[in-house]
Amino acid sequence: MERILTSTPTAPPDSGSRLPSLTGLRFLAALSVFLFHSSLASSPIPPNGPVTPFADQGFAHGYAAVLGHAGPLGVSFFFVLSGFVLTWSSRPGEPARAFLRRRVVKIYPNHVVMWAVALLLFAWATAGLEPGFRTCY
């Protein structure tokens, strides 16, 4: 009996498919930025007081030395990776205007909701402060 072997062509990757491994890498990039900020020994906001969460100064300095470059590297990697993921999510033959409209419809509502939440939290946080503080903003 003769056996005929046929190969089935594999379909090209779907450009609209999700990329969970890259999403995980984006998380690691954001985590590195968070860890960098937690390693700051003094506040970047005047009066620049100490903000380290560690009681042991030796550990705090070692932690800052290890993570001193994690923030800028994490930001750069996050933006490069996000650019790739956005390019991957574009549909073949889709006009730029349609792509931008689709992105705005997906992202803008989140910004509006968070803006409203931030306004409410700011109003709540400043409710008990002296009247002179409110005129600063």
Side-chain angles (χ1 to χ4, degrees):
M1 174 163 23
E2 187 175 323
R3 193 177 216 182
I4 299 174
L5 297 174
T6 60
S7 64
T8 41
T10 58
D14 179 21
S15 65
S17 64
R18 297 213 175 257
L19 302 168
S21 59
L22 295 185
T23 302
L25 288 175
R26 288 173 67 192
F27 168 76
L28 291 176
L31 179 65
S32 71
V33 173
F34 173 79
L35 292 174
F36 165 76
H37 283 282
S38 71
S39 75
L40 295 177
S42 62
S43 173
I45 302 169
N48 303 76
V51 294
T52 181
F54 306 109
D56 181 12
Q57 291 301 315
F59 182 79
H61 288 299
Y63 185 79
V66 169
L67 296 171
H69 298 290
L73 288 174
V75 168
S76 298
F77 183 63
F78 185 86
F79 281 128
V80 169
L81 198 55
S82 294
F84 175 79
V85 169
L86 280 175
T87 304
W88 182 269
S89 71
S90 67
R91 297 175 181 152
E94 180 181 34
R97 187 176 183 138
F99 174 76
L100 291 173
R101 185 180 326 118
R102 190 166 47 93
R103 296 301 304 165
V104 166
V105 166
K106 181 177 181 178
I107 295 171
Y108 190 69
N110 293 326
H111 287 286
V112 171
V113 168
M114 291 311 299
W115 176 74
V117 168
L119 283 179
L120 291 172
L121 285 174
F122 183 75
W124 174 74
T126 60
L129 296 177
E130 60 196 49
F133 177 76
R134 292 183 189 201
T135 61
C136 294
Y137 293 100

